[in-house]
Amino acid sequence: MADQMADQAASQQTAVYVYEAPVRIWHWVNAFAIIALCVTGYFIGSPLSSVSGEASDHYVMGYMRFVHFAAAYIFIIGFVFRAYWAIVGNSHSREIYLPRIFSKDFWDELWHEIKWYSFLVDEPKKYTGHNPLAILAMHLMFVWGSIFMIISGLALYGEGAGMGSWQYQFFSSWLIPLMGQSQDVHTYHHLVMWLLIIFAIIHIYVAVREDIMSRQSIISSMISGWRLFKDNRPSND
Amino acid sequence: MAIQTPNGFTLDTSGERVVVDPVTRIEGHMRCEVNVNSDNIITNAVSTGTMWRGLEVILKNRDPRDAWAFVQRICGVCTGTHALTSVRAVEDALNIEIPDNANSIRNIMQLSLEIHDHLVHFYHLHALDWVNPINALKADPRDTSALQKASSPRHPKSSPGYFRDIQNRLKKFVESGQLGPFKNGYWDNPAYILPPEADLMAVTHYLEALDFQKEIMKTRTIFGGKDPHPNWLVGGVPCPINIDGEGSVGAINMESLNHVRSIINQTIEFVDNVYIPDIIAIGKIYYDAGWHYGGGISGTDALAYGDIPDKPNDFSAKNLMMPRGAIIKGNLNEVHEVDHRDPEQIQEFVPHSWYKYDDESKGLHPWDGVTDPNYELGPKTIGTRTDIKQLDEAAKYSWIKAPRWRGNAMEVGPLSRYLVGYASKHTEFTDQITDTLGALGNAPVSALFTTIGRTAARALEAQWCAYKQRYFLDKMIANIKAGDETTANTESWDPSTWPKEVKGVGFTEAPRGALAHWIRIKDQKIENYQCVVPTTWNGSPRDNEGNIGAFEASLMNTKVERPHEPVEILRTIHSFDPCLACSTH
Amino acid sequence: METFYDVMRRQGITRRSFLKYCSLTAAALGLGPSFAPKIAHAMETKERIPVLWLHGLECTCCSESFIRSAHPLAKDVVLSMLSLDYDDTIMAAAGHEAEAIIEEIVTKYKGKYLLAVEGNPPLNEDGMYCIIGGKPFTDQLTYASQHAKAIISWGSCASWGCVQAARPNPTRATPVHKVPGIGNKPIIKVPGCPPIAEVMTAVVTYILTFERFPELDRQGRPKMFYSQRIHDKCYRRPHFDAGQFVEKWDDEGAKKGYCLYKMGCKGPTTYNACSTVRWNGGLSFPIQAGHGCIGCSEDGFWDKGGFYDRLTDIHQFGIEANADEIGVGAATVVGAAAAAHAAVSAVKQARTKGDND
Ligand code: HEM
Ligand code: HEM
Ligand code: NFV
Ligand code: SF4
Ligand code: SF4
Ligand code: F3S
Ligand SMILES: [Mg+2]
């Protein structure tokens, strides 16, 4: 209720500070890490054409895997940090972790958002944070997808690091039998990459579209942190 | 009450019924029931395959290029022969020609299997039907040494001290009271007639053969990476040849070829100096004692597909080094052509097998074969569904189907191959047969059509195979010398190049006999896959007309010393080297 | 370890009848009465651990592999290390005499014998896809498992199910540890299709030598042989790291021994000792002979898609395609939907603008 009032008040203003600097930095670091992970991951699964000459003169797969693991650790540390920030940061920092699914408004707004995307209503509502549809997609596809990639990635990493490694003990040892065998872990790790790619496609498309068509700033918000509104009318009218 | 079978046997079930289940020292699970009359003569025989795994069902919708790995697991004893049959079937369907080197390598691998399988069969699965290890303790090692030197002068392990050591080890083993595999054997049964020195010699060779057999298969480790279950490839073989280029140590090179040659030489030596002399020595004692049982249909209905193509990709009889053809009704003057594609020739029947057909009065050609399990017992069964005391052979009673060639129950295996070779007047085989009959004291040809003959044919074949390995190694080296190092043809590797619907058949002579796989490929996937396996032929139950199969026929009219000690039943059944995992698959 | 004599005494058998048993044994074996005291002496002193080696649905290639062992020789294992009292593939006895052995060992050596299982039992059709002595194999297996000291699951059949359990598993072939009614005993899995001979004999000799069971991983496999993947110790690994792959059978890369990853090698996902122990006395292993690993020691390796595909098939939810096929398909649909959505949005935006103007 209080939240709603605050939102209502905010919608009257033209600018609100939404994304704190750590979130913004994280967002872009994370975006680049994921792109690196997808590219290298894809080529781990389907390597480039062979190079000729002495094996000792090349390290193509080695570098591919090195970049993957380096990006993976950046991604993991970022994710852990972002989760920490969800606790200490402002209310917007929690949105995608704990979607307000117990609030009726959330579902009403979600319905409205669906209608907006189906061209059934002429105007979206105003949101200081993410719109509910975005929250749901981010929570289900991004948050859980990332958790899965981290766990399964570490489990795969533990296989190479060996049974004595912490990665093996904490991840490989239970995840592999749970999923069947090592090959299944690879398969699902690979499959969920596509889930993240699909999320990214939708996400970027929607970001650009909303930037143009919604009633607030979008892309620049993730750069400056400030949400600017394009009109002074209340959210609902 | 007696019944006459169309293939010439009189079945009488009035005598006592004796059940042997499990039949041991075979591959897989088998049951045998016989009726014995008051003279201890077998008057009715029922053989049952007691396992089924459903490989033909499992293969549906899979990639035909993977099929070899699945069917290879039909059997680890005749490991590889199903795989070879499978890649041949796929290559036949897709018109793939394999390179010359691949043909030589496949032949060497197949030949090593024949030798290994025969050797292990004789010493480790069959010998205890003839040889009494406990009796060996009574031997004087000096007599054994003399016997060894007389029967095989070239075998180096023949001193009295050597046999004494083995005997002492055996003694310690027996005295421990823990008889291991010899426990509960039938060691005081009068069916064992060898003198102690022969028993000691044979037991010694049991152990020598156990140590040696693992060497034979090393050729397959070199070409196929491991054994059992080496690797194969549709279109050739997976191992590349690189004689002098960069990285040649990782491929087939001079070192590996030398290794193969050394294994082949050792194998020839062992077969010549141990296996063949033992067969002659033991066979002669039993033959001379009048033990001439077990012929069954071996002399009348024999089938061989042929194998070991000299030139690659030519499966006609003249290019196959192992004989091809069918003999029926005992007419050795006519060797019939065998055509795997003719829907009238090879058919499988199921009225007495635990499977369902829409119309069980008819047989099905394997391209149209159906494998649909249906476990049900006849009304005269004694016992329950899960505790069978006695089967009702008038109904369904086996997991083995009943394959027939133009309606005839056929025997397959080394003896059938030798019979077809003999009838085709193929000198390589007639010479070996003449020598053996001579060694048995100028025995007539009919001596072959017995349990002893079946066992002897296997040894002769092992010898033939050992020398043929050398032929293919030389051939391959000559081919490499001429500049050809190719081992695989990958033109049709990619399934998108395949026709929408094709079918093919591949065959081999497996150690136990004629083996073929029929495949239908549709939309790049297996639509139907049917295997008709040597032990399916030999171990087949009755068919729609009541013909009994080769196992059953071979037991008929055998005298058993003690009906409740199945020594003679085991002896004859074992002479086929039954493989039940194969038979039902 | 308790001797045979101790066991008999414990069961209330007198020395008199023990000696009688020995002379009967000697007689049954066709040996003279002079053997009786020797048998008695042996039974009172030392014991080899009894082993029951049962066979279910299988191909016997685990046994075949076992006899290929170079060190120790299979002969020495069977004659001197253990007492292989039941093994239908090599035992002399058949029928009732064979079946009697199981009962004898189970009663006389309660808790002291090892149960080795090759193959597995089918559960469909009341187990009658595998019959022994007229009864389902499950009966024999569960009975023998009750009083075993431990169970060794030989090969992928006993450990995981293997080929007969491949889809659609028509007989419901079931690995040993999942068989209802199986004794609650330690189960040592020695997977592989078949396992390496020297690994099999090493597991047995380890138990006999150190009088304890090898350390197992979470899935019950001895760590000493199954803790690393083929890929971790593969001699072609430098080519993998370099990005040098066999692209086609029998190509230049194949002749030079490049990595078989693109030919579908499952070495990166397979736990086994092939690349270190190797096969047949350390001679070679599948990859060395030019074919990829097919993953034969892994659970369900038959149902992961083609052996020649690097990316494996997914079979859940009625789909049959690999991750990239599914991913590219789904991403294309989503991408196309976004493009269409963008087009409609643009039209709509233009119209609204027009209305406003
Ligand atoms: C967005 C996140 C990620 C994406 C999109 C991604 C993608 C991929 C892909 C497609 C593969 C190839 C899988 C195959 O087909 O075998 C792969 C392999 C792998 N990934 Fe990731 N990954 C991600 C995160 C991680 C993380 C967090 C780790 C943790 C260390 C990780 C470790 C690995 C490892 C060890 C492999 C196997 C490398 C090999 O087989 O040599 N990944 N990844
Ligand atoms: C060119 C690429 C990208 C652009 C332009 C972009 C843009 C944005 C914008 C504008 C927002 C704020 C949305 C809002 O205010 O509702 C946002 C948030 C977010 N983006 Fe991106 N993004 C990009 C790439 C990615 C990628 C690759 C990922 C990960 C797969 C990603 C994950 C996220 C997440 C999880 C949030 C929510 C942040 C939070 O609330 O903590 N973004 N992005
Ligand atoms: N019967 C049979 Fe086999 C053979 N030889 C094969 O096809 O043993 Ni397992
Ligand atoms: S695990 Fe493989 S090799 Fe062993 S019995 Fe089963 S199918 Fe044969
Ligand atoms: S051949 Fe197989 S196991 Fe060896 S490095 Fe390549 S992928 Fe790994
Ligand atoms: S296929 Fe099996 S034999 Fe070894 S290399 Fe792979 S685990
Ligand atoms: Mg069949």
Side-chain angles (χ1 to χ4, degrees):
Chain A
M1 197 61 197
D3 258 13
Q4 214 186 333
M5 299 257 293
D7 264 11
Q8 209 69 20
S11 66
Q12 307 300 320
Q13 302 167 0
T14 46
V16 197
Y17 189 60
V18 184
Y19 299 118
E20 297 154 294
V23 172
R24 283 176 281 138
I25 294 169
W26 165 79
H27 175 268
W28 295 111
V29 169
N30 179 64
F32 283 109
I34 288 187
I35 291 166
L37 283 163
C38 290
V39 171
T40 53
Y42 179 82
F43 287 117
I44 289 170
S46 310
L48 297 161
S49 289
S50 294
V51 290
S52 58
E54 285 295 321
S56 49
D57 291 341
H58 301 283
Y59 202 58
V60 176
M61 257 322 240
Y63 288 127
M64 200 66 85
R65 294 173 70 248
F66 175 77
V67 172
H68 192 77
F69 304 153
Y73 280 102
I74 293 170
F75 172 70
I76 294 170
I77 292 166
F79 190 84
V80 171
F81 166 79
R82 181 62 188 78
Y84 162 77
W85 198 260
I87 301 166
V88 301
N90 67 15
S91 70
H92 298 298
S93 69
R94 278 181 279 285
E95 284 182 332
I96 66 166
Y97 286 87
L98 298 169
R100 303 173 285 120
I101 52 168
F102 296 110
S103 127
K104 184 172 179 301
D105 283 354
F106 179 82
W107 298 104
D108 289 345
E109 287 168 10
L110 181 70
W111 181 233
H112 186 88
E113 206 61 25
I114 291 170
K115 285 195 286 194
W116 160 240
Y117 278 103
S118 316
F119 309 104
L120 295 175
V121 291
D122 285 340
E123 209 179 43
K125 297 189 181 191
K126 282 170 144 181
Y127 304 98
T128 22
H130 304 298
N131 76 58
L133 195 58
I135 288 175
L136 216 53
M138 283 168 180
H139 182 76
L140 294 177
M141 293 172 84
F142 177 79
V143 175
W144 287 108
S146 299
I147 291 172
F148 178 82
M149 289 313 269
I150 290 170
I151 292 175
S152 60
L154 288 170
L156 292 175
Y157 193 87
E159 296 198 278
M163 282 198 176
S165 65
W166 62 267
Q167 292 94 338
Y168 191 94
Q169 285 182 346
F170 293 117
F171 297 95
S172 325
S173 66
W174 60 271
L175 187 73
I176 295 172
L178 184 76
M179 302 202 79
Q181 49 135 298
S182 170
Q183 226 177 314
D184 299 306
V185 182
H186 274 264
T187 303
Y188 287 106
H189 188 72
H190 203 125
L191 194 64
V192 175
M193 168 181 81
W194 286 104
L195 184 79
L196 289 177
I197 291 175
I198 288 168
F199 167 77
I201 294 173
I202 299 172
H203 171 69
I204 296 165
Y205 164 65
V206 169
V208 173
R209 181 184 191 266
E210 293 299 274
D211 212 51
I212 300 167
M213 295 180 67
S214 77
R215 295 162 67 187
Q216 64 254 19
S217 70
I218 299 284
I219 296 182
S220 58
S221 307
M222 210 19 116
I223 298 170
S224 67
W226 286 89
R227 177 76 83 220
L228 303 171
F229 294 97
K230 300 177 189 166
D231 62 64
N232 266 336
R233 288 175 284 119
S235 176
N236 251 335
D237 64 353
Chain B
M1 196 198 61
I3 310 169
Q4 195 67 33
T5 75
N7 57 346
F9 294 87
T10 311
L11 307 176
D12 184 342
T13 54
S14 57
E16 189 196 350
R17 184 84 150 198
V18 175
V19 177
V20 187
D21 185 359
V23 173
T24 50
R25 269 181 291 128
I26 58 168
E27 198 292 341
H29 302 291
M30 175 182 169
R31 176 185 180 97
C32 182
E33 299 187 8
V34 297
N35 291 87
V36 179
N37 70 13
S38 51
D39 298 327
N40 285 359
I41 306 281
I42 295 176
T43 57
N44 175 43
V46 177
S47 102
T48 295
T50 46
M51 65 187 287
W52 182 73
R53 287 170 296 160
L55 266 292
E56 289 164 340
V57 177
I58 290 164
L59 277 164
K60 282 194 195 261
N61 293 319
R62 299 197 183 249
D63 186 333
R65 298 170 304 173
D66 289 343
W68 67 262
F70 286 80
V71 295
Q72 177 154 253
R73 271 69 183 182
I74 286 175
C75 183
V77 179
C78 63
T79 164
T81 196
H82 286 282
L84 176 56
T85 308
S86 175
V87 293
R88 283 182 179 165
V90 177
E91 286 156 5
D92 180 57
L94 298 169
N95 269 318
I96 298 174
E97 302 224 317
I98 65 163
D100 208 88
N101 292 324
N103 185 56
S104 294
I105 290 172
R106 286 181 179 184
N107 281 338
I108 293 171
M109 290 173 76
Q110 178 72 355
L111 291 164
S112 42
L113 169 69
E114 308 271 356
I115 304 160
H116 179 273
D117 208 335
H118 291 349
L119 189 82
V120 170
H121 169 256
F122 177 66
Y123 285 102
H124 308 118
L125 304 181
H126 198 19
L128 294 180
D129 302 326
W130 312 95
V131 174
N132 182 342
I134 307 298
N135 199 38
L137 297 180
K138 297 186 185 132
D140 181 337
R142 281 167 303 186
D143 294 344
T144 307
S145 167
L147 175 66
Q148 173 72 73
K149 285 176 179 145
S151 67
S152 175
R154 295 183 49 211
H155 189 51
K157 294 180 174 172
S158 61
S159 72
Y162 173 66
F163 288 111
R164 184 169 301 112
D165 284 350
I166 304 260
Q167 195 184 37
N168 282 336
R169 187 164 185 190
L170 189 64
K171 210 174 259 168
K172 244 178 84 189
F173 183 77
V174 172
E175 282 170 4
S176 77
Q178 291 184 288
L179 284 186
F182 304 145
K183 195 175 167 69
N184 285 11
Y186 310 95
W187 307 127
D188 63 351
N189 190 302
Y192 290 101
I193 60 168
L194 293 187
E197 59 273 15
D199 279 322
L200 179 56
M201 182 172 84
V203 170
T204 304
H205 294 167
Y206 179 108
L207 299 176
E208 278 178 30
L210 190 53
D211 288 350
F212 180 69
Q213 51 80 28
K214 68 183 194 305
E215 303 303 315
I216 303 171
M217 293 306 231
K218 286 186 175 169
T219 49
R220 295 153 59 95
T221 312
I222 291 168
F223 295 126
K226 77 194 236 255
D227 192 85
H229 294 342
N231 292 307
W232 304 79
L233 188 72
V234 167
V237 289
C239 58
I241 297 173
N242 187 352
I243 289 297
D244 39 24
E246 184 191 339
S248 64
V249 285
I252 299 301
N253 64 359
M254 201 64 238
E255 183 268 341
S256 25
L257 293 174
N258 285 340
H259 198 157
V260 171
R261 182 172 305 279
S262 129
I263 296 164
I264 294 174
N265 290 344
Q266 291 172 50
T267 306
I268 289 176
E269 236 166 75
F270 197 90
V271 173
D272 280 355
N273 297 337
V274 183
Y275 189 10
I276 296 281
D278 279 354
I279 289 285
I280 301 290
I282 296 170
K284 186 161 165 46
I285 293 170
Y286 277 90
Y287 187 77
D288 288 349
W291 210 82
H292 299 175
Y293 299 110
I297 56 172
S298 62
T300 53
D301 303 281
L303 176 68
Y305 295 160
D307 198 352
I308 314 299
D310 187 359
K311 297 192 297 290
N313 311 308
D314 176 357
F315 291 93
S316 66
K318 62 174 191 327
N319 188 50
L320 297 175
M321 297 188 146
M322 275 189 171
R324 175 179 174 88
I327 287 170
I328 43 172
K329 317 234 184 306
N331 180 5
L332 299 193
N333 296 320
E334 192 178 0
V335 178
H336 297 268
E337 288 271 333
V338 175
D339 183 356
H340 290 93
R341 297 163 203 274
D342 180 351
E344 300 304 316
Q345 292 197 16
I346 295 165
Q347 294 184 336
E348 288 192 304
F349 295 82
V350 297
H352 295 278
S353 311
W354 284 315
Y355 302 94
K356 265 200 292 281
Y357 280 1
D358 289 340
D359 175 2
E360 294 189 1
S361 67
K362 294 209 175 65
L364 293 178
H365 182 264
W367 264 330
D368 302 312
V370 172
T371 303
D372 188 4
N374 175 28
Y375 176 69
E376 61 181 31
L377 298 167
K380 290 202 230 71
T381 308
I382 301 178
T384 67
R385 201 182 134 73
T386 54
D387 185 6
I388 304 165
K389 306 283 186 215
Q390 183 180 318
L391 285 162
D392 175 4
E393 67 268 27
K396 291 182 185 286
Y397 67 92
S398 178
W399 283 115
I400 306 178
K401 290 181 183 174
R404 296 293 183 257
W405 186 76
R406 293 197 187 279
N408 298 287
M410 307 293 274
E411 177 167 329
V412 299
L415 180 55
S416 298
R417 298 194 274 255
Y418 270 66
L419 181 58
V420 174
Y422 183 85
S424 326
K425 305 198 175 50
H426 194 315
T427 49
E428 282 178 4
F429 304 103
T430 51
D431 287 356
Q432 268 186 313
I433 289 173
T434 315
D435 287 355
T436 310
L437 293 175
L440 288 178
N442 288 325
V445 179
S446 63
L448 286 178
F449 308 126
T450 58
T451 294
I452 294 173
R454 204 174 281 116
T455 298
R458 193 168 279 112
L460 299 182
E461 188 174 77
Q463 190 178 37
W464 183 90
C465 292
Y467 284 91
K468 277 287 174 286
Q469 280 197 307
R470 213 178 243 170
Y471 170 84
F472 282 104
L473 181 61
D474 291 340
K475 192 175 157 97
M476 179 165 130
I477 289 173
N479 195 48
I480 296 172
K481 198 170 170 185
D484 176 9
E485 291 191 0
T486 323
T487 56
N489 167 3
T490 54
E491 263 166 51
S492 301
W493 179 252
D494 184 355
S496 64
T497 63
W498 300 351
K500 189 171 163 48
E501 231 181 307
V502 283
K503 57 184 182 178
V505 56
F507 62 86
T508 54
E509 281 296 340
R512 289 158 192 74
L515 167 68
H517 293 180
W518 285 257
I519 189 172
R520 277 180 187 275
I521 303 171
K522 192 176 169 188
D523 298 329
Q524 310 174 2
K525 292 275 191 294
I526 294 172
E527 192 193 18
N528 197 9
Y529 199 107
Q530 291 281 319
C531 315
V532 182
V533 183
T535 306
T536 322
W537 287 98
N538 289 336
S540 86
R542 289 139 166 86
D543 58 33
N544 55 330
E545 291 180 344
N547 290 298
I548 59 176
F551 284 2
E552 296 178 336
S554 69
L555 291 173
M556 293 298 296
N557 309 317
T558 301
K559 180 168 165 81
V560 292
E561 295 285 349
R562 297 178 182 170
H564 293 279
E565 295 190 356
V567 181
E568 296 88 348
I569 294 176
L570 292 175
R571 191 179 278 167
T572 289
I573 291 291
H574 285 162
S575 73
F576 289 90
D577 189 3
C579 178
L580 274 292
C582 270
S583 68
T584 64
H585 40 275
Chain C
M1 184 178 283
E2 233 178 347
T3 66
F4 189 82
Y5 177 63
D6 295 335
V7 175
M8 289 183 97
R9 285 307 292 262
R10 200 158 41 72
Q11 292 183 346
I13 288 155
T14 62
R15 177 145 188 93
R16 229 181 111 93
S17 38
F18 170 69
L19 292 176
K20 196 167 161 214
Y21 170 87
C22 294
S23 52
L24 281 175
T25 308
L29 297 172
L31 299 165
S34 64
F35 267 89
K38 290 180 183 162
I39 291 179
H41 174 72
M43 288 192 174
E44 281 169 314
T45 46
K46 59 179 183 297
E47 274 280 78
R48 279 172 289 127
I49 187 163
V51 174
L52 303 178
W53 185 317
L54 306 187
H55 296 253
L57 291 183
E58 41 95 87
C59 80
T60 314
C61 113
C62 297
S63 296
E64 279 285 345
S65 187
F66 190 81
I67 63 170
R68 309 269 200 282
S69 175
H71 41 80
L73 291 166
K75 171 185 80 182
D76 294 330
V77 178
V78 173
L79 288 185
S80 312
M81 297 186 185
L82 41 79
S83 185
L84 187 54
D85 291 316
Y86 186 99
D87 180 346
D88 16 340
T89 312
I90 62 164
M91 67 197 295
H96 302 298
E97 289 77 19
E99 289 198 276
I101 293 174
I102 300 224
E103 207 178 318
E104 184 188 324
I105 299 295
V106 169
T107 35
K108 277 193 194 142
Y109 294 90
K110 269 202 168 85
K112 299 207 159 47
Y113 62 90
L114 288 177
L115 177 65
V117 187
E118 181 174 352
N120 54 29
L123 300 186
N124 278 351
E125 208 61 86
D126 303 322
M128 296 304 271
Y129 285 119
C130 187
I131 309 168
I132 292 169
K135 299 188 200 140
F137 169 59
T138 36
D139 286 12
Q140 191 189 47
L141 176 64
T142 49
Y143 171 68
S145 72
Q146 294 314 317
H147 301 290
K149 184 185 175 73
I151 301 172
I152 301 180
S153 285
W154 286 138
S156 294
C157 285
S159 300
W160 310 127
C162 208
V163 71
Q164 59 268 18
R167 218 178 352 223
N169 190 355
T171 62
R172 195 142 64 93
T174 305
V176 172
H177 63 287
K178 291 189 182 158
V179 173
I182 200 81
N184 182 19
K185 305 289 163 185
I187 297 182
I188 302 160
K189 296 194 187 109
V190 188
C193 188
I196 301 170
E198 285 78 14
V199 166
M200 299 177 79
T201 50
V203 168
V204 171
T205 44
Y206 180 99
I207 297 172
L208 303 180
T209 309
F210 300 111
E211 293 180 350
R212 60 171 188 247
F213 299 120
E215 205 182 317
L216 306 178
D217 71 2
R218 250 175 200 259
Q219 296 174 80
R221 300 170 293 189
K223 279 187 181 169
M224 54 192 165
F225 297 115
Y226 293 93
S227 59
Q228 280 187 311
R229 300 167 303 169
I230 306 296
H231 188 62
D232 295 319
K233 290 281 161 71
C234 178
Y235 77 105
R236 298 194 185 206
R237 184 64 188 264
H239 291 297
F240 171 85
D241 289 331
Q244 297 181 313
F245 303 102
V246 176
E247 305 275 350
K248 225 172 104 199
W249 297 110
D250 204 23
D251 67 2
E252 269 308 298
K255 288 186 199 289
K256 289 181 182 166
Y258 282 4
C259 168
L260 290 159
Y261 193 70
K262 286 191 180 177
M263 305 315 282
C265 180
K266 303 295 182 287
T269 53
T270 303
Y271 287 80
N272 205 342
C274 305
S275 53
T276 40
V277 175
R278 306 203 184 194
W279 280 80
N280 305 88
L283 181 55
S284 184
F285 73 113
I287 290 162
Q288 190 172 337
H291 195 285
C293 166
I294 65 171
C296 77
S297 54
E298 287 295 318
D299 194 354
F301 73 101
W302 299 104
D303 288 328
K304 306 292 174 199
F307 292 129
Y308 303 104
D309 295 328
R310 163 57 196 109
L311 299 178
T312 57
D313 279 1
I314 292 164
H315 285 277
Q316 277 69 19
F317 332 113
I319 305 169
E320 205 168 316
N322 71 37
D324 277 351
E325 288 159 3
I326 296 174
V328 170
T332 310
V333 170
V334 170
H341 198 267
V344 177
S345 305
V347 172
K348 196 153 175 173
Q349 178 92 341
R351 265 208 213 124
T352 327
K353 271 225 177 99
D355 289 352
N356 286 354
D357 287 350

